[in-house]
Amino acid sequence: MTEQRISVMITQVIAMERIVRQGLLYDFYGVLLTEHQRKIYEDVVFQDLSISEIAREEGISRQGVFDLVKRCDKTLEGYELRLGLVEKFEKTRESVQSIHQMIQEYQKTQNPDLIQKIEGVAGEILELS
């Protein structure tokens, strides 16, 4: 694989991670945006419409759409900074995956120490909520 191809793949992964992050932030905090902000943000992030298409459809400038999306990103990140709901969600999901793996291992080995580990992880989840 060439260096250029690797660079393109890394750029694509970063773009996908950004879209996933935007989606999570929107899922948790999107209701706090205005209806107009939600519509345009959804068009950009979820419908993958171009800024030009949205500008034409909404009767505003491309720069206006771009600025609104950036402002929404900043607003959603600000909510996350203050409330941390996405971070708690991701930690909880990781803990549940860990419990799932330990249960599978316990079913194979019947190791009683795993029950204590599972209880510990479950306690951590309860502390997050």
Side-chain angles (χ1 to χ4, degrees):
M1 212 179 292
T2 67
E3 235 180 85
Q4 183 180 11
R5 179 69 182 140
I6 292 171
S7 178
V8 168
M9 290 173 67
I10 290 171
T11 302
Q12 290 172 338
V13 168
I14 291 169
M16 289 301 294
E17 287 176 349
R18 182 174 178 269
I19 291 169
V20 169
R21 174 87 176 159
Q22 285 176 309
L24 278 172
L25 289 170
Y26 185 82
D27 286 346
F28 281 91
Y29 308 113
V31 70
L32 300 173
L33 299 174
T34 67
E35 187 175 328
H36 179 69
Q37 288 172 324
R38 282 194 307 269
K39 164 113 176 56
I40 291 178
Y41 199 78
E42 288 174 3
D43 284 348
V44 169
V45 176
F46 300 117
Q47 303 302 322
D48 198 28
L49 297 178
S50 73
I51 289 176
S52 296
E53 290 172 308
I54 297 166
R56 194 170 38 255
E57 185 179 297
E58 296 293 322
I60 57 179
S61 69
R62 290 175 52 233
Q63 186 64 46
V65 173
F66 180 81
D67 289 345
L68 187 137
V69 171
K70 288 297 174 193
R71 204 167 42 251
C72 288
D73 280 337
K74 187 175 180 180
T75 298
L76 295 173
E77 286 289 351
Y79 289 137
E80 175 59 14
L81 188 63
R82 287 185 218 86
L83 301 172
L85 297 177
V86 173
E87 182 181 355
K88 288 178 186 176
F89 170 76
E90 289 174 339
K91 285 181 181 178
T92 301
R93 183 171 49 188
E94 288 171 10
S95 295
V96 170
Q97 287 173 344
S98 177
I99 286 173
H100 181 71
Q101 289 171 349
M102 285 187 272
I103 288 172
Q104 288 180 332
E105 185 179 335
Y106 178 77
Q107 289 171 339
K108 292 176 188 173
T109 65
Q110 299 294 313
N111 181 347
D113 293 337
L114 286 171
I115 296 298
Q116 288 179 330
K117 288 181 181 179
I118 291 169
E119 288 174 350
V121 174
E124 291 173 9
I125 291 171
L126 292 173
E127 289 175 11
L128 287 173
S129 53

